Every structure is written in structure tokens, then in C-alpha cells.
Amino acid sequence: MPAFKTKSQFKTSEKNFLKVAETAQKRKFIIDFDSTFTQVEGLDELARIALKGAPNQTETVKAIKDLTDQGMSGEISFSEALSKRLALLSANKTHIEELISFLKGKISKSFARNEVFFEHYADDVIILSSGFKDFIVPVATELGVKEENIYANTFEFDNDGNITGADQSNPLAGNGGKIKLVESLNLDAEIHVIGDGFTDYEIKASGLGHFFYAFTENVARPGVMEKADHVVKSLDEFLWLNHLPRSQSYPKSRIKVLLLENVHQAAVKAFEDEGFDVEFHKGAIGEADLCEMIKGVSIIGIRSKTNITPKVLENADKLIAIGAFCIGTNQIDLEGCTERGIAVFNAPYSNTRSVVELAIGEIIMLIRKIPSNSERMHKGIWNKSAKNAYEIRGKKLGLIGYGHIGMQLSVVAEALGMEVYFYDAVDRMPIGNAIKCKSMEEVFNTVDVVSLHIDGRPENKKLIGKKEFDQMKDGAIFLNLARGFVVEIPALVDALKSGKLAGAGVDVFPKEPRTNDDPFESELMGLENVILSPHVGGSTEEAQEMIGHYVPERLLEYINNGSTTGSVNLPEVQLPLLTDSHRLLHIHKNVPGIMAKINTIFAKHNINVRGQYLKTNETVGYVIVDVAISYTPEFLEELREIPETIKFRKLF
């Protein structure tokens, strides 16, 4: 949830935002460097750089990392870990410059986006590290940390610039070094320690620190986490807990994302990069289990086999948005989502090309009778013959459904020499030389190949049965790459067995296995010249990657900015970026008088409106208001308490 993008934006809101901080006891923030301020351990990376190309690089770097982990988790003493690591290092001053450049690109993401905190508390932020000033100072000062507030070890070098060890006069080079250093500072303040290692916890344990926060954005050490007053997954979470200036109104590390059905890893990365708490499962989840799993979840991503039912929604206590990583949304209770103000997004175009290519491939294979001949070949039967094998050039293709997939299939089929006829319940303009028909029957009576590309709305259930197959030409080819329940399977089986149809390609079924470990059963199994595929029409690497990018982009736009572009159930609003304001998002029942109530509250509290956006559909209204930052909690509560309110959020 974005907030202050520039320093000037922070300054305009500073007075209101820091009320708590200004009245609080004087605080000092002691922050570790390795794996806290940065995503990595400096010495480990220095070893990787210094040993580049060496025959023992992998083994030595691993040994150094193992020693780092042992020291950080408290398995061995810090001084032992440090001396052993330095003995293995074999590094030079020239390697440090390369390390500094590398570390500047590895500042922890939550630190990098909270530069305003370091600016405002420059006098109170202390970097305390068992690492080395030689590379810490140039990196930490990038975010405004004062050099005089950075305490760390220093390297010793020989005449050739090779690292020979650490300055042993520095207390940080020995056991209990952080405790000794903090003790020497005589800090008269409430001490908050943030770090990932056991030596950070020791400051609190010694009585010198008041609170210890185990920082887990980069590494989670169970032994350290169990000692912490708080486990924080990001700096945002620490700042939120302590009412400090931050870049997010609510820490994303506390927003849970549940991704199911093996959605592409690009989606996982998109949410993790934003700092969300992501839980990933390869399989679909049944209703009973999902009712438990969805508690506390703000965003859920599914494909076609997980059903978001009314019962699931009853248990979705924090759900804000659903991402369908597929074209259809019939597996989601859209009406229930709308009633609860839950935005639903899908990927209507991302796998279009993949489905089209599968359709073309199956048409060619079936019209040439390749599936049945391939089966015979596997049994040792050679059946070389041109009988009943045809080219697709000059054949007539009939499309039931002329949406994005139907249109693109039309274009590709024409390029291969086919004539295209189509029927759609919606009046569509033909592309190329395609011919629009007045009914499905007209299509069936005319074409050599029928391909279904219709959506999953309830009225399409069992759309194709015995009557429709009887209307098709003798020897026609039939494809269903759309929805399983739109075809009566027994009628299709009869049409194939009787010879009415010469072949079929089926990718979707009325009942499908929930996971790859479950068995598949169908009356279509074993039939001549039938291609069965496991719902893979859109399952190409390219399509899944596109969906893995597209759906999270829509979800993140909504969560971060309030935009509903691409939502299938909420009014679509494309919003500008939020600047120098707070954004209030109000979803409400679409009944007369709501805007009057909202504006009355704004007038009552003398709120300066900097931008207002409203869109409605037949069910709900969605109003977004950008306001000046000087408002009271009472004002927000009155907006929430409007009787017709469905969901209310605040962004800054």
C-alpha cells in the first residue's frame, strides 16, 4: 500500500503522522547490517568475489557460510567463527571495492523503500555490526545513516593490501563485542534492537536493550526467533508496530497471499518482491480444507479446479481480492464476492494463442486420422493408406463462440486455407473472410470441423447433446477446448461409436481430477480417433508465464493503488498514482443517497478533497477520494459506519 514517494510528500504530512513519535520516550534504534540492512552476509560475498575462478571456490565459500550460520545462531562463539572465516577468506583491498558495489544493490527491500525513516531519525539510528566498516560505511550512508553512528570491525592488511585479520583492539572482534560496545555508548534512551543473529539478541539479554526484533526478511533463524519480543518480516512491520514513519500504511508482510494449483512462479515472485507473506500449494484445495486455509488470507490466487463457494466466502474474514489465473471465473461465487466487496480478476487473453495452437494441431491430427494410426503403430500394425485422410485446406471450420479465442483461431485457420463460419449469442463483427451464421444449426449443417469456444455461464450447461450432433455433417470432426459441462458426454460417445463423427478432440470434462495424483475416468477413453488431453489448452510455459505476470499486476494495482482495471465484478476504475495525499476507498451498495452521506461527512469534518472518482454497476458503487492528510480517526469511523458500506480501506 504505497505511501510517501518523495521527501517533500513526507514533510507535508510529518506533523500529523509523527504525533505518537513526538510524545514517546526518546528512542534509539540499533540495527544489524549483514542479512538485516542488506540481504546478504558481507564476508560470504567477499569470499565469493575473492575466490572467483579458484578451483576450491565452491567448497571454501560454503565453509565460510557454514561458519557464519553457526556464529549467528549461537552454535559456536562469535570470535571463533570470525577468526576461522578470515583465515579462509584470501581477499584483497581491490575485492572490497567490488563488494561495496554489489552490496549497494543488495540493500534489503524494506529498508530501501523506507529512506524517510532514516532521514528523520538520522541521529537515533545506530548500525552495530560484527562485519567490517570497510564495506558497511559506504553502503549504510546511502540511506542517510550517519558515519559516526556506524560501529563495526575493521580489517588489517599487509603491504600488498591482502586482508590478514581484524583489529583485535576493537571490542566487536571478540565474544560479547556488541554488549561491550553498547555499554560504552551510555545510551540514555529506550533501546530497540533489530537483527537476525544471536549476538543481536544478546544486547537485550544483557539488559542493555529494551526490545529485540528478530528480522526475517532475508533469513529466518529459529533459535533467534524464539528469543525475540517480536518477529518482523520487514522493516515496514517494525515501523508499523512502533508508529514510525513508513512507506506503507499497513505492512505487506502482514498481508497473507494464498496461491494454489501451481500458479507460475512469476506470480510467487511478484508478491514476495512486494513483501507479502506468500503461501504456495501445487494442488487444488477442497471446500472443507479451504474454509480453514482462507482464514486470515487477504489475496487468493487459483486456477480452474479450486471453487470459491459461498461457504468458503463465509470463512474468508480478511479477503480483499481473488485472482483467477485462467480465463473463466465460473468456479467463483461472483455474486457473493460482490456482496462482500471482494474484487475478482482473471486473465481473459493471456493463454489465447496457446488454445488456438492446440485447436489447429488437433484439427490436423484428427482429419488425417493420426491418433488411431499412432495407436496401431504402437501395437506393431502398419496401415499406410490415404483413405479418409484429408488436408485442412479448403475445409470448412465452424466456431461456436467468437470471442478472443474464436477470433484468433479464425485468423490462423484462414491462413491455412480453411473457410470459417461462426455463431455467437452476442452480435460480433466478422474478422477477415469469416461468415456469420444465424444459428448453431446453420453452422453444424455447413462445416467439416466444429470447435467450441464458449464461456462457463450456467445457461451453456449441456448446450451440445444428441440433437446438435445429429445436425452435424456425417464424418465431421468435433473439438471441445472450452468447458467440460457444455457437452453431454454420452451423446458424444454415441456419435463417435456410430460413425456420425469421424473424430473428436476433448480437453475439458464435466468431472476432472483435482490433482495429478487422482485417477481420470471417462466414457471417451479407448475410442477410435479421439484425442484426450488433461485440460492443457492454455498450459504452455509462455501462457502460464504471461498469466503469472498479468494477474498479479492487476491484483497489486488494486491493493496498492485502488485501481480495478480488469475486475470482473467491481466497477472498473483506472486511478492515477497517489501523490501527497491519503486515498480512501469506499465500496457500498448502489442505492440512492450514498454520495450525499459521504459528502456530508467530509463537510462536517472540514476535509480538503484533492480528487474524487466514482463508478457504479447495477449492484455496487465504488468511490475513491484523495484527501489532505489532516483528518481524525473519528472521520474515518463515520465513513465506515455508513449503513450501506460494504468495504472500506485507506491507502497512503
Side-chain angles (χ1 to χ4, degrees):
M1 301 179 186
F4 311 111
K5 300 295 183 185
T6 66
K7 294 176 184 177
S8 63
Q9 290 171 11
F10 170 73
K11 292 181 188 302
T12 61
S13 64
E14 188 177 18
K15 186 177 294 185
N16 181 66
F17 192 49
L18 294 177
K19 280 180 181 176
V20 177
E22 288 172 354
T23 57
Q25 178 182 348
K26 179 69 173 174
R27 288 178 285 187
K28 294 288 184 181
F29 308 100
I30 297 178
I31 303 176
D32 182 38
F33 183 79
D34 293 309
S35 294
T36 298
F37 195 98
T38 59
Q39 301 170 38
V40 295
E41 293 283 332
L43 272 187
D44 295 355
E45 296 303 325
L46 182 57
R48 180 185 57 80
I49 292 168
L51 295 168
K52 191 182 300 179
N56 63 337
Q57 180 195 25
T58 302
E59 295 81 2
T60 306
V61 171
K62 183 180 184 305
I64 290 174
K65 286 185 175 181
D66 288 345
L67 288 166
T68 299
D69 288 337
Q70 290 170 30
M72 288 295 99
S73 61
E75 294 176 38
I76 61 176
S77 70
F78 169 75
S79 61
E80 181 184 355
L82 180 61
S83 61
K84 287 183 176 179
R85 284 187 291 164
L86 291 176
L88 292 168
L89 194 57
S90 300
N92 186 276
K93 277 184 178 179
T94 56
H95 298 131
I96 295 175
E97 291 304 314
E98 186 176 345
L99 174 64
I100 291 168
S101 177
F102 174 79
L103 291 178
K104 285 181 178 181
K106 287 292 182 178
I107 293 174
S108 294
K109 291 176 181 178
S110 66
F111 277 69
R113 63 175 168 258
N114 281 293
E115 184 177 356
V116 67
F117 163 72
F118 292 97
E119 177 187 339
H120 188 83
Y121 285 95
D123 292 330
D124 303 311
V125 171
I126 296 169
I127 299 295
L128 180 57
S129 174
S130 302
F132 288 81
K133 269 192 171 185
D134 308 69
F135 57 77
I136 292 175
V137 168
V139 177
T141 52
E142 287 274 296
L143 284 189
V145 178
K146 292 185 174 181
E147 183 172 352
E148 59 265 32
N149 286 352
I150 298 173
Y151 300 90
N153 280 298
T154 51
F155 286 123
E156 290 185 334
F157 303 91
D158 63 17
N159 292 334
D160 296 322
N162 297 313
I163 295 172
T164 58
D167 178 4
Q168 293 302 309
S169 66
N170 189 327
L172 291 168
N175 294 329
K178 288 189 175 182
I179 295 172
K180 295 172 185 175
L181 197 289
V182 174
E183 197 169 28
S184 70
L185 294 176
N186 292 316
L187 299 173
D188 182 20
E190 184 179 87
I191 308 300
H192 296 254
V193 183
I194 310 167
D196 65 283
F198 192 77
T199 56
D200 304 305
Y201 159 70
E202 286 181 327
I203 300 171
K204 158 74 186 300
S206 70
L208 294 170
H210 296 86
F211 302 97
F212 170 60
Y213 303 82
F215 186 81
T216 61
E217 181 173 329
N218 305 309
V219 61
R221 307 182 198 278
V224 176
M225 293 163 63
E226 67 184 21
K227 302 284 188 183
D229 296 294
H230 298 279
V231 175
V232 291
K233 297 177 181 177
S234 66
L235 183 61
D236 310 285
E237 193 167 338
F238 167 79
L239 298 175
W240 176 77
L241 284 169
N242 290 283
H243 308 286
L244 294 166
R246 56 193 182 274
S247 66
Q248 299 177 352
S249 54
Y250 186 80
K252 290 178 182 174
S253 53
R254 285 181 167 250
I255 298 176
K256 188 172 182 180
V257 179
L258 179 61
L259 299 178
L260 305 177
E261 299 188 66
N262 203 28
V263 300
H264 198 277
Q265 285 298 305
V268 179
K269 185 176 186 301
F271 288 113
E272 287 182 342
D273 285 352
E274 286 271 333
F276 292 101
D277 178 11
V278 180
E279 183 178 343
F280 173 82
H281 292 268
K282 286 189 174 181
I285 304 295
E287 184 183 64
D289 290 335
L290 189 56
C291 284
E292 287 302 313
M293 291 179 66
I294 205 164
K295 292 174 181 175
V297 170
S298 296
I299 304 167
I300 185 170
I302 62 173
R303 294 176 71 181
S304 58
K305 291 178 182 168
T306 298
N307 293 308
I308 307 297
T309 64
K311 188 174 180 181
V312 170
L313 291 176
E314 287 175 11
N315 289 273
D317 53 342
K318 291 190 177 180
L319 197 60
I320 297 172
I322 299 172
F325 286 70
C326 52
I327 293 176
T329 56
N330 56 297
Q331 74 278 38
I332 301 170
D333 176 14
L334 291 179
E335 184 178 342
C337 289
T338 305
E339 290 173 355
R340 292 168 170 79
I342 299 167
V344 180
F345 300 86
N346 67 337
Y349 320 117
S350 300
N351 64 3
T352 299
R353 180 68 186 193
S354 297
V355 177
V356 168
E357 288 189 5
L358 181 62
I360 289 293
E362 291 197 353
I363 291 169
I364 294 172
M365 298 288 278
L366 290 166
I367 212 164
R368 292 287 298 272
K369 292 192 175 294
I370 298 299
S372 48
N373 275 321
S374 175
E375 186 178 353
R376 291 188 184 96
M377 291 287 288
H378 280 286
K379 294 176 180 178
I381 301 171
W382 183 270
N383 184 36
K384 179 177 170 60
S385 172
K387 186 178 180 181
N388 295 323
Y390 304 95
E391 293 181 352
I392 65 169
R393 180 176 52 177
K395 301 300 180 293
K396 296 179 175 67
L397 170 64
L399 303 173
I400 306 302
Y402 200 62
H404 297 288
I405 294 174
M407 287 181 182
Q408 190 167 145
L409 178 55
S410 173
V411 171
V412 177
E414 272 197 35
L416 292 170
M418 299 188 82
E419 297 178 24
V420 178
Y421 298 78
F422 73 89
Y423 170 78
D424 197 298
V426 177
D427 188 25
R428 308 270 192 186
M429 181 176 291
I431 290 179
N433 297 312
I435 298 170
K436 179 166 58 176
C437 296
K438 295 179 181 179
S439 66
M440 289 196 299
E441 184 176 2
E442 184 181 349
V443 174
F444 297 151
N445 292 165
T446 306
V447 302
D448 306 295
V449 180
V450 174
S451 189
L452 303 185
H453 300 287
I454 56 182
D455 61 30
R457 69 188 68 186
E459 52 264 39
N460 286 335
K461 186 175 183 179
K462 296 185 178 180
L463 185 70
I464 309 296
K466 183 180 186 305
K467 172 187 170 184
E468 288 71 30
F469 288 122
D470 287 345
Q471 292 169 351
M472 296 178 193
K473 292 170 64 174
D474 291 345
I477 299 294
F478 176 77
L479 268 65
N480 182 16
L481 309 183
R483 298 290 187 277
F485 65 76
V486 303
V487 177
E488 293 185 22
I489 297 300
L492 174 57
V493 170
D494 289 344
L496 288 163
K497 286 183 175 179
S498 68
K500 176 66 179 181
L501 297 178
V506 183
D507 185 53
V508 289
F509 305 87
K511 184 179 180 181
E512 297 181 356
R514 190 170 294 279
T515 71
N516 288 345
D517 295 327
D518 297 327
F520 167 71
E521 297 177 355
S522 174
E523 298 169 66
L524 293 165
M525 295 166 65
L527 294 182
E528 176 97 352
N529 206 35
V530 173
I531 298 175
L532 303 180
S533 52
H535 204 147
V536 293
S539 295
T540 60
E541 292 289 347
E542 293 89 345
Q544 292 308 305
E545 183 172 359
M546 285 180 67
I547 293 171
H549 288 292
Y550 179 85
V551 176
E553 284 173 4
R554 303 288 78 75
L555 289 165
L556 289 170
E557 275 187 358
Y558 179 61
I559 297 298
N560 292 340
N561 196 44
S563 292
T564 49
T565 305
S567 174
V568 299
N569 68 321
L570 294 187
E572 285 200 54
V573 183
Q574 179 64 53
L575 298 169
L577 290 175
L578 180 60
T579 57
D580 199 21
S581 302
H582 283 191
R583 177 164 287 170
L584 310 179
L585 313 174
H586 192 275
I587 302 172
H588 53 267
K589 296 175 184 177
N590 186 14
V591 296
I594 298 299
M595 288 307 300
K597 291 180 182 180
I598 289 173
N599 289 330
T600 297
I601 294 171
F602 275 79
K604 173 184 173 182
H605 290 269
N606 197 29
I607 302 298
N608 181 22
V609 176
R610 292 176 172 169
Q612 189 174 82
Y613 317 88
L614 171 67
K615 206 74 176 286
T616 63
N617 61 25
E618 63 277 6
T619 307
V620 299
Y622 183 37
V623 63
I624 304 96
V625 187
D626 293 347
V627 301
I629 297 165
S630 54
Y631 55 80
T632 65
E634 291 75 20
F635 161 69
L636 297 179
E637 192 59 31
E638 285 190 37
L639 287 175
R640 287 191 183 93
E641 292 302 317
I642 293 174
E644 294 82 5
T645 300
I646 295 173
K647 195 175 287 291
F648 176 78
R649 286 197 298 145
K650 177 185 70 172
L651 305 178
F652 65 71

